[in-house]
Amino acid sequence: MSNGYQPQQSKPSSPPHSQQKALTGQKHDEGKPRWELLPWNGMEEVVQVLTYGAEKYAPDNWRQVPNYQSRYTAAALRHISAYMRGEEQDQETGRHHLAHATCCLLFLLELDCNPAQPVPPRHE
C-alpha cells in the first residue's frame, strides 16, 4: 500500500556560468610566441654545428670568446661568403655554411640580449 509519497528525482544542478566547463578544450595562448613556426630541419643542422663546437671546444665556450662582436660577425660573414660563392658544406665539419653562420648570429644575439648572463650550469 502506498501513502502517495514519491521522492523527487534530483536534477543535477548546473554550476554558475563562470564555473561551467567548455564543451571543447580551451588554451589561452593568444599573443604567445609561436615556436611551431621554427623551420626544424634547418634547426637540426644548426644543432649539429653546436654539437660539433661543444665537442671541439666545450659546451658554452662561445660565451667566453673575447671581442665576440667582431669575431662572430667576421665568422658569420665568412660562412655566408662561402655559401654565396657556391660552397654549401663547410670543409672541416661537413655541415651547411648557413648553419655555421646561423650559430654565429645566434651567439651575437644571445650575448647582446644578455651581456651579463653567466654561463648556465650544465646537467649532464
Side-chain angles (χ1 to χ4, degrees), residues 107-119:
F107 296 163
L108 286 167
L109 182 61
E110 176 67 17
L111 292 168
D112 283 353
C113 290
N114 301 296
Q117 182 75 22
V119 176

Side-chain angles (χ1 to χ4, degrees), residues 20-33:
Q20 287 182 347
K21 297 197 185 231
L23 296 176
T24 58
Q26 292 184 4
K27 176 86 174 82
H28 299 287
D29 51 10
E30 298 83 19
K32 292 183 181 176

Side-chain angles (χ1 to χ4, degrees), residues 4 22 27-28 39 44 51 53-54 64 71 78 82 87 97 99-100 104 114 117:
K27 176 86 174 82
H28 299 287
E44 172 72 23
T51 301
Q64 308 303 325
R71 295 178 75 185
R78 284 192 300 272
E87 185 180 324
H97 274 295
H100 280 277
C104 293
N114 301 296
Q117 182 75 22

Side-chain angles (χ1 to χ4, degrees), residues 41-42 45-46 48-49 79-80 82-84 86-91 93-103:
N41 290 327
E45 192 71 12
V46 169
Q48 292 294 337
V49 171
H79 286 290
I80 292 169
Y83 173 77
M84 295 302 291
E87 185 180 324
E88 191 171 291
Q89 307 305 123
D90 177 73
Q91 290 180 1
T93 65
R95 295 292 170 186
H96 205 292
H97 274 295
L98 295 181
H100 280 277
T102 300
C103 285

Side-chain angles (χ1 to χ4, degrees), residues 32-40:
K32 292 183 181 176
R34 295 191 53 198
W35 283 85
E36 79 276 10
L37 298 176
L38 273 173
W40 291 107

Side-chain angles (χ1 to χ4, degrees), residues 7-26:
Q8 290 186 343
Q9 297 291 327
S10 64
K11 294 181 182 177
S13 62
S14 296
H17 180 68
S18 63
Q19 294 177 355
Q20 287 182 347
K21 297 197 185 231
L23 296 176
T24 58
Q26 292 184 4

